Amino acid sequence: MSGAIGSAVTMHIGELAEKTGLSLRTIRHYDEVGLLKASARTDGGFRLYSPDDFTRLMLIRRMKPLGFTLDEMMALLKVIDTLQGGLTGSDDPEVRAELETFIAQAVERRQKLQDQLGMADEFLDLLRAQ
């Protein structure tokens, strides 16, 4: 760990990349498009990330295999931020409905991946039977 924001321990981008398994380039891209902004910067301009940033990045990482686009990721993170942060609209039924839509999409996408995995297993069985 590299520093502190208030009393929160922070890490540099390299540490964050190592902990998440994502590349520096990917994390920088997420910063550029506004998906994950660094919590702070050092005096030298280096990005500093908090444990909350790590949690957010892991959520983003878990969306990737399901094929969510960057725009979809941003929309879902906005919903989550609204619900978790007590922001205006956190009790709005439309925000909750939007979350339910994302859940349904994730379930559907997961099922497609599971079906593909089943086909891959069948393929391997055919190869092994040769």
Side-chain angles (χ1 to χ4, degrees), residues 73-94:
M73 289 179 188
M74 283 190 247
L76 177 55
L77 290 169
K78 182 179 176 186
V79 167
I80 290 170
D81 289 345
T82 299
L83 293 172
Q84 288 182 348
L87 302 174
T88 303
S90 62
D91 57 350
D92 186 341
E94 288 182 25

